[in-house]
Amino acid sequence: MASHQEVIGSGETFSLGTSAAGLNKFRVDGEELLPKTENSLKEFRELVTDLGKELLDKMAAQASNAKRVIDKMPQNFLYIGHLHLMFPNAKIIHVKRNPVDTSVSNFCANFGSSLYYSNDLTSLGQYYVAYNGLMEHWKESLPDNILEIQYEDVVADLEKNARRMLEFIDLDWDERCLNFYQHTRSVNTANFDQVRQPTYKTSVGRHERYGDLLKPLLDELKPVLP
């Protein structure tokens, strides 16, 4: 998407998470986030508006003449509710992958303590199941705001799925989306080397090479496996 002439790819930022944290002043342990009194509800709405404007200004500052700004931070799934409060028309492209391959990919990457659960196969499985449950909730609650794309389908037919995504965000087709690896923009995220290559199929079914070593992970993933 970031290769499209009308799209700016901002990479993986903490902007949405930071904005969402601004609403924590209304959270009380054991209670819902939304305030209970008329005065606090008014204050809550004003804060949502202010946080949304601040976030929009940040995106607009880097967008230049672009029509769309994309933030691909994986942890953004945690803040979909906050995002919808600030921007009811925001579009979310949810790219799913085989649960075992997803978890193995996370386990093999060195995220250190920032993503602590990725260092343990059991924790990874538990985290994936929780993430999947949360996304099922949002897909049911916001069906018009979320497009789900399967990673394996993108690998098999890039153009078909690129067209689906562009249509979802109301943009015309741009052939450059097929040649994304030729884009000269700076990439500072964990997949910096992958975006310089054409699509490849070698990561599909990657987990199969590890056999019984993945048993702790597979045991936890049972609720989401076919």
Side-chain angles (χ1 to χ4, degrees), residues 20-152:
L23 297 175
N24 284 342
K25 60 179 292 185
F26 291 96
R27 185 182 299 281
V28 178
D29 290 343
E31 296 185 9
E32 296 179 355
L33 173 63
L34 291 175
K36 300 291 191 297
T37 68
E38 191 64 34
N39 286 338
S40 60
L41 180 58
K42 181 174 183 281
E43 185 183 354
F44 179 82
R45 287 171 172 163
E46 291 174 349
L47 181 57
V48 168
T49 300
D50 291 343
L51 290 171
K53 184 180 184 305
E54 182 180 333
L55 181 56
L56 187 61
D57 288 344
K58 285 182 182 178
M59 292 187 292
Q62 61 179 308
S64 183
N65 296 322
K67 289 185 177 180
R68 301 288 182 269
V69 179
I70 295 179
D71 184 338
K72 68 183 186 70
M73 171 66 83
Q75 298 304 102
N76 280 347
F77 83 93
L78 292 169
Y79 311 114
I80 289 177
H82 302 78
L83 176 67
H84 187 65
L85 284 172
M86 292 185 286
F87 305 114
N89 296 319
K91 297 294 184 72
I92 298 158
I93 299 175
H94 177 216
V95 183
K96 292 192 70 174
R97 185 183 177 187
N98 176 285
V100 191
D101 279 343
T102 299
S103 301
V104 168
S105 178
N106 276 271
F107 185 71
C108 291
N110 182 18
F111 293 119
S113 59
S114 59
L115 299 179
Y116 62 92
Y117 60 86
S118 67
N119 299 319
D120 177 81
L121 290 176
T122 297
S123 296
L124 262 171
Q126 294 170 343
Y127 193 94
Y128 188 97
V129 171
Y131 137 79
N132 186 75
L134 183 58
M135 286 309 304
E136 288 299 314
H137 162 75
W138 288 122
K139 282 163 52 183
E140 181 179 344
S141 302
L142 305 172
D144 296 330
N145 296 70
I146 299 178
L147 172 67
E148 190 163 277
I149 294 285
Q150 195 67 32
Y151 165 84
E152 290 81 2

Side-chain angles (χ1 to χ4, degrees), residues 145-189:
N145 296 70
I146 299 178
L147 172 67
E148 190 163 277
I149 294 285
Q150 195 67 32
Y151 165 84
E152 290 81 2
D153 293 342
V154 175
V155 172
D157 193 336
L158 174 60
E159 181 172 343
K160 176 182 177 180
N161 287 279
R163 287 182 179 275
R164 284 183 65 200
M165 288 185 270
L166 287 176
E167 181 180 359
F168 180 64
I169 60 175
D170 300 317
L171 291 180
D172 294 330
W173 174 245
D174 186 337
E175 199 73 22
R176 279 169 284 205
C177 292
L178 300 181
N179 302 314
F180 59 88
Y181 50 90
Q182 296 176 350
H183 203 295
T184 57
R185 68 189 174 90
S186 175
V187 179
N188 298 312
T189 55

Side-chain angles (χ1 to χ4, degrees), residues 129 132 218-225:
V129 171
N132 186 75
L218 295 174
D219 286 346
E220 298 298 333
L221 288 177
K222 285 180 181 177
V224 298
L225 295 178

